[in-house]
Amino acid sequence: MVIVFDLDDTLYDEIEFVKSGFREIASYLKNERYFEFMMQVFKDEGSGKIFDKLIEKFQLNVDVKKLIDIYRFHKPNIALSADSLKLLKFSKDFKTALISDGHYIMQKNKFDSLNLDKFIQYPIFTDFFHTKKPDQKPYKMVMEKFRDEKKFIYISDNPKKDFKAPKELDWIGIRYKNPVGIYKDFKSDTDYEVEKRDDIIEILKYLKEKYE
């Protein structure tokens, strides 16, 4: 059995990366109040055009692309929560992989900051391979890597695109309905849906007993 994870809002809460990026920008611009402004805009309006609004609001002489690069490529100050760590430790008894969309360097920095190399045997950052979910390509790469395994399980928070390929490939889907995630209010038709990471462990125990 192979356990395959998503990254953002699955193994950690992406809002922590957002805060880390905003703090990095406020530090670069040497003004902590910019962090509070960006967080308020993010809370009220979402992630679009935050840096443009920051520049306009405070009449900053800085290129928006510079701020985007700082945000995207900074080494994030993020950490695994206790329940994520518990889930990953449990998963060490299985083959493990990760499939994550997003800019390759940004996702790799997250992976490294969370020390996920201790738990994930085969990380796939789709941007590096010029693909993205819901394409089947990254999922098929996992199947090829662990070709002797019969069952593949994908754990993710995003019901909009992440479970399409797994369903087509006869994988088992576990949707983590992250209470602070951007997809928390979306409906899903995955095999399992949970609101706590601890519940994922119980499902994995059941699946192990069923398929191994």
Side-chain angles (χ1 to χ4, degrees):
M1 197 163 83
V2 183
I3 300 173
V4 189
F5 295 98
D6 174 48
L7 179 55
D8 298 316
D9 275 336
T10 300
L11 287 178
Y12 84 107
D13 297 335
E14 191 170 12
I15 186 64
E16 299 306 316
F17 177 83
V18 172
K19 291 176 182 176
S20 176
F22 289 171
R23 285 197 177 94
E24 193 77 10
I25 288 170
S27 175
Y28 172 77
L29 296 172
K30 297 181 173 57
N31 195 324
E32 183 60 26
R33 67 194 280 217
Y34 297 160
F35 170 78
E36 301 299 336
F37 174 82
M38 288 184 284
M39 284 302 302
Q40 192 61 52
V41 174
F42 181 81
K43 179 181 177 182
D44 293 343
E45 305 175 27
S47 58
K49 301 293 183 182
I50 287 178
F51 305 140
D52 295 279
K53 290 173 182 175
L54 177 71
I55 291 169
E56 181 181 359
K57 170 72 173 176
F58 297 100
Q59 298 182 325
L60 302 176
N61 183 24
V62 61
D63 188 347
V64 68
K65 186 179 183 303
K66 175 63 177 177
L67 301 187
I68 292 170
D69 285 348
I70 291 170
Y71 178 86
R72 182 177 284 170
F73 302 130
H74 83 286
K75 297 297 174 67
N77 181 19
I78 54 178
L80 293 170
S81 61
D83 55 353
S84 285
L85 195 56
K86 182 179 176 183
L87 172 59
L88 286 163
K89 286 179 177 178
F90 174 84
S91 301
K92 288 187 80 172
D93 289 337
F94 303 87
K95 303 289 174 46
T96 55
L98 178 138
I99 299 174
S100 179
D101 284 348
H103 193 288
Y104 167 68
I105 295 174
M106 181 171 70
Q107 298 308 97
K108 182 67 164 59
N109 284 343
K110 295 174 185 177
F111 185 89
D112 292 343
S113 293
L114 295 169
N115 296 310
L116 288 174
D117 59 309
K118 296 178 180 178
F119 306 100
I120 305 295
Q121 299 168 5
Y122 186 45
I124 295 174
F125 305 103
T126 57
D127 181 53
F128 184 82
F129 297 100
H130 308 292
T131 184
K132 61 182 178 180
K133 298 176 281 187
D135 293 351
Q136 288 188 3
K137 179 179 177 178
Y139 301 88
K140 286 183 173 179
M141 289 171 64
V142 174
M143 296 176 79
E144 177 62 24
K145 173 72 173 178
F146 301 110
R147 64 174 69 92
D148 294 333
E149 296 291 330
K150 298 292 190 292
K151 275 296 171 185
F152 295 81
I153 299 155
Y154 194 54
I155 301 169
S156 177
D157 69 300
N158 184 352
K160 291 182 69 178
K161 62 175 182 175
D162 285 12
F163 297 105
K164 182 177 182 293
K167 183 166 287 190
E168 293 167 349
L169 297 170
D170 197 31
W171 287 28
I172 295 169
I174 302 175
R175 188 265 182 106
Y176 170 48
K177 198 173 181 179
N178 191 322
V180 297
I182 61 174
Y183 300 108
K184 62 180 180 296
D185 296 324
F186 285 81
K187 293 183 179 180
S188 70
D189 59 353
T190 51
D191 301 286
Y192 300 94
E193 181 174 283
V194 301
E195 296 186 2
K196 297 179 181 177
R197 292 186 179 100
D198 284 347
D199 292 338
I200 298 173
I201 295 176
E202 296 309 309
I203 294 171
L204 293 174
K205 287 178 180 177
Y206 165 75
L207 293 173
K208 179 183 180 183
E209 200 171 287
K210 183 176 180 179
Y211 293 111
E212 291 195 345

